[in-house]
Amino acid sequence: MRGAILHAPRDIRVEQREDPTIEQPTDAVIRLAATCVCGSDLWPYRGIEPVSGPAPMGHEYAGIVEETGPDVRTVKPGQFVVGSFFASDNTCGICRAGYQSSCVHRQPIGSIGTQAELARIPLADGTLVATPGVPSEDLVPSLLAASDVLGTGWFGASAAQVQPGKTVAVVGDGAVGLLAVLAARQLGAGQIIAMSRHEPRQKLALEFGATDIVTERGDDGAAAIKELTSGLGAHSVIEAVGTQESMLQAIRCTRPGGHVGYVGVSHDVELPGQELFFSAVHLHGGPAPVRRFLPELIELICDRAIDPGRVFDLTLPLEAAAEGYRAMDERRAIKTLLRP
Ligand SMILES: [Zn+2]
């Protein structure tokens, strides 16, 4: 099969890879209907995360089950399935509490690499959720978005305790931030403030349900949020970047007693203890347990209640993955969908 391999920073190539096979009785092999490039793939692509030798890339996936191991019970060949970026058993105490991305048996899909024609998915029963029937082609981008960016934005909104009628601010205008806006709207937020200085992203944020746009960053951004919230700060703030500046911005945008949901993968973030102490905010986040939300998200997508696939503003054949990475790196694209 063909698959994307990162050889060194900014050196991504689509090459011949060995076809995956069933290795464990709980595995499934799926044929990707579509795959994509994640904002978090840009960390190793840019060399900010070390690259040690040729690494298969990609952890987002949706497609048709080709083959299952002898112990797989809940998914069958021919079904269309969506899963998360961590395989999970969905039965341990952590999974049952809704934190499948911290499952005691979790396995990262990123090391398998789903920017490919086929992928082996471990713990298939716990990881994969089948759609009702094979979806029509136009739903595939939205179902793929559920695999990570929608589920992650949704967890951000859930962790930030978004409530009907309350005020929400979103730090970050990548796919996750934009879909956190969509999640906040679905969860009934009153005022939704998207923090973005990039016009096409502002437009999509407004279409997903943002009521206000703030273009300032850092302390100016926090001051702008205070101004829009009678000087109090937002009830709920979703942090979808993962840098020192964005995390402090999120905390400073939140009113005392409010909640920060942080889902941007943290890079060199250090929190000043005294500021945290006097902020009196709740912090909750981490790798999103997307699996918790998948059944609900798949239903909303198949009912056409939400259209998260609109974050894909560039579609390329898998063979052109290198251009897909470049376009996201240079912020010419919000998110690249790859067709195997
Ligand atoms: Zn588990």
Side-chain angles (χ1 to χ4, degrees):
M1 68 164 184
R2 306 288 289 170
I5 304 277
L6 184 66
H7 286 264
R10 294 178 204 279
D11 180 7
I12 192 116
R13 302 177 212 162
V14 176
E15 298 176 344
Q16 204 60 31
R17 289 182 57 195
E18 210 165 305
D19 282 1
T21 55
I22 301 292
E23 294 175 13
Q24 299 293 327
T26 48
D27 287 348
V29 171
I30 66 165
R31 179 168 295 278
L32 280 291
T35 180
C36 53
V37 182
C38 186
S40 64
D41 294 332
L42 296 180
W43 294 103
Y45 178 79
R46 289 170 171 157
I48 298 168
E49 270 174 23
V51 182
S52 53
M57 294 296 287
H59 54 263
E60 296 156 282
Y61 56 99
I64 300 274
V65 178
E66 288 251 311
E67 192 185 353
T68 55
D71 291 352
V72 176
R73 299 278 174 269
T74 61
V75 293
K76 296 179 177 60
Q79 282 184 318
F80 190 99
V81 291
V82 184
S84 160
F85 49 86
F86 275 116
S88 55
D89 59 20
N90 211 27
T91 55
C92 76
I94 305 296
C95 284
R96 277 184 282 131
Y99 286 85
Q100 290 90 339
S101 49
S102 303
C103 173
V104 297
H105 295 120
R106 75 174 185 178
Q107 295 183 46
I109 302 292
S111 61
I112 288 166
T114 58
Q115 289 163 7
E117 291 177 282
L118 299 162
R120 181 182 69 87
I121 307 299
L123 303 170
D125 279 335
T127 305
L128 298 172
V129 180
T131 57
V134 174
S136 66
E137 186 57 31
D138 66 317
L139 289 177
V140 168
S142 287
L143 291 164
L144 176 63
S147 175
D148 181 354
V149 281
L150 174 62
T152 296
W154 207 275
F155 174 60
S158 165
Q161 301 278 306
V162 169
Q163 301 287 333
K166 304 289 188 186
T167 297
V168 179
V170 179
V171 179
D173 63 1
V176 171
L178 292 168
L179 290 170
V181 168
L182 180 150
R185 166 48 60 94
Q186 281 293 313
L187 295 168
Q191 187 180 22
I192 304 171
I193 308 164
M195 306 188 84
S196 170
R197 53 177 61 186
H198 196 76
E199 209 245 334
R201 296 172 190 230
Q202 294 171 356
K203 191 163 164 279
L204 192 51
L206 292 168
E207 287 169 20
F208 278 156
T211 55
D212 302 84
I213 301 286
V214 162
T215 55
E216 293 90 346
R217 278 192 191 173
D219 288 346
D220 292 342
I225 298 291
K226 290 265 167 71
E227 208 164 293
L228 285 166
T229 54
S230 312
L232 303 178
H235 293 98
S236 299
V237 178
I238 298 148
E239 191 286 320
V241 183
T243 62
Q244 181 75 13
E245 183 190 45
S246 64
M247 191 68 183
L248 288 180
Q249 185 177 325
I251 291 167
R252 290 170 186 166
C253 289
T254 308
R255 70 177 60 192
H259 293 77
V260 177
Y262 57 97
V263 291
V265 179
S266 181
H267 283 80
D268 299 323
V269 175
E270 288 185 24
L271 298 181
Q274 196 169 43
E275 176 172 352
L276 188 59
F277 183 81
F278 284 103
S279 71
V281 302
H282 300 75
L283 297 182
H284 181 38
V290 173
R291 177 64 183 81
R292 187 206 308 177
F293 305 103
L294 275 180
E296 180 187 0
L297 299 180
I298 288 171
E299 192 176 330
L300 286 168
I301 291 164
C302 290
D303 289 348
R304 297 182 187 274
I306 56 173
D307 191 5
R310 292 172 66 207
V311 293
F312 295 108
D313 56 348
L314 179 63
T315 297
L316 294 172
L318 174 63
E319 290 297 324
E323 167 54 18
Y325 274 79
R326 264 196 307 276
M328 283 177 64
D329 179 42
E330 295 165 9
R331 286 176 75 87
R332 284 184 281 118
I334 299 171
K335 193 165 176 70
T336 306
L337 185 141
L338 299 171
R339 292 276 184 193

